[in-house]
Amino acid sequence: MSMGKITLTIDDRQVEARQEMTILEAAKEAGIYIPTLCHHEKLELFGACRICTVEIDAGGRKMLVASCIYPVEQNLVVKTRSENIDEIRKTILEMLLAHAPGAPALQDLAREYGASETAFDKEPSFCILCGLCVRYCAEVKKKNAVAFGDQGPTREITFIPKIASRECWNCKECFALCPTSYLQAAFFLTEGLSFPQSSASAEG
Ligand code: FES
């Protein structure tokens, strides 16, 4: 075995990985699908949504871990589906669907895991706090035009009008990352309220 190479088992298959990889990356490279919502390969590890939860057995120690942040280990045994895992994913989806009913990215997963839209009382905020937009804007674009608003349990993302009016018009790269329609709506609201001038001039 060469330095840095690791062998692990994912869904009964022997998989080779490099030491610095996460379980998610090792699975992906082996063509094994694990669902994700808050993960993006260009961004720092985050591990917030937990939809990527898998079961690991490291020498008899069984645990549920978020595969997008958990590093591979030699001889690790990973299961990406089980009754337990599916149940966790179902519950996560049901909670998220209460926030973002109708979001296409969630609907597809909901069908797969039998999650019901009506399991929890709806509190539509349309933001599932995956933070993809906030992190992408900060880490990749280095603009910080989107931020987590500080509103306790109803914490949502907001555009910072002063920065957004300058930076967002020519970018909008975060729009495609949003698993719900929240981001676009938040942008157009900010735009309408805070910098109507720039929208008029950009269209002309
Ligand atoms: Fe791993 Fe969100 S994708 S925690």
Side-chain angles (χ1 to χ4, degrees):
M1 193 177 63
S2 63
M3 267 283 282
K5 281 272 180 204
I6 278 184
T7 311
L8 68 161
T9 307
I10 307 180
D11 292 345
D12 299 322
R13 270 177 56 194
Q14 286 258 347
V15 168
E16 283 243 306
R18 293 178 302 282
Q19 205 145 42
E20 68 279 5
M21 284 177 139
T22 61
I23 293 175
L24 177 69
E25 287 167 333
K28 202 168 175 196
E29 209 162 274
I32 298 167
Y33 169 76
I34 299 172
T36 60
L37 284 170
C38 71
H39 175 77
H40 190 290
E41 49 191 35
K42 281 194 188 155
L43 304 180
E44 300 281 321
L45 302 185
F46 194 54
C49 75
R50 302 276 149 172
I51 199 76
C52 67
T53 294
V54 296
E55 218 169 86
I56 61 166
D57 189 334
R61 191 166 43 98
K62 278 201 182 164
M63 285 195 297
L64 291 162
V65 299
S67 63
C68 70
I69 52 173
Y70 200 91
V72 292
E73 288 168 19
Q74 180 62 22
N75 298 332
L76 195 67
V77 178
V78 181
K79 264 200 217 157
T80 70
R81 290 292 290 257
S82 72
E83 225 173 280
N84 235 335
I85 296 166
D86 284 16
E87 192 56 38
I88 288 169
R89 290 186 187 153
K90 179 178 164 213
T91 308
I92 292 169
L93 287 163
E94 287 176 343
M95 291 193 297
L96 294 179
L97 279 165
H99 287 292
L106 299 180
Q107 300 267 335
D108 291 347
L109 287 169
R111 262 190 298 280
E112 175 72 23
Y113 293 97
S116 141
E117 280 242 9
T118 51
F120 291 90
D121 287 344
K122 285 207 187 0
E123 321 165 42
S125 62
F126 300 100
C127 176
I128 61 166
L129 298 174
C130 66
L132 283 172
C133 54
V134 174
R135 294 178 292 131
Y136 187 86
C137 193
E139 293 172 30
V140 177
K141 304 300 290 187
K142 312 231 183 296
K143 301 293 186 197
N144 300 296
V146 206
F148 283 112
D150 192 14
Q151 290 152 2
T154 58
R155 204 168 78 120
E156 287 165 18
I157 60 102
T158 49
F159 283 87
I160 313 296
K162 220 174 107 198
I163 307 173
S165 62
R166 212 171 48 226
E167 305 291 348
C168 297
W169 261 101
N170 301 319
C171 175
K172 297 191 184 133
E173 284 170 34
C174 61
F175 279 26
L177 303 177
C178 182
T180 78
S181 53
Y182 178 78
L183 187 64
Q184 288 87 333
F187 178 74
F188 289 116
L189 183 68
T190 312
E191 184 209 346
L193 292 177
S194 315
F195 46 101
Q197 282 323 105
S198 62
S199 69
S201 60
E203 269 159 27

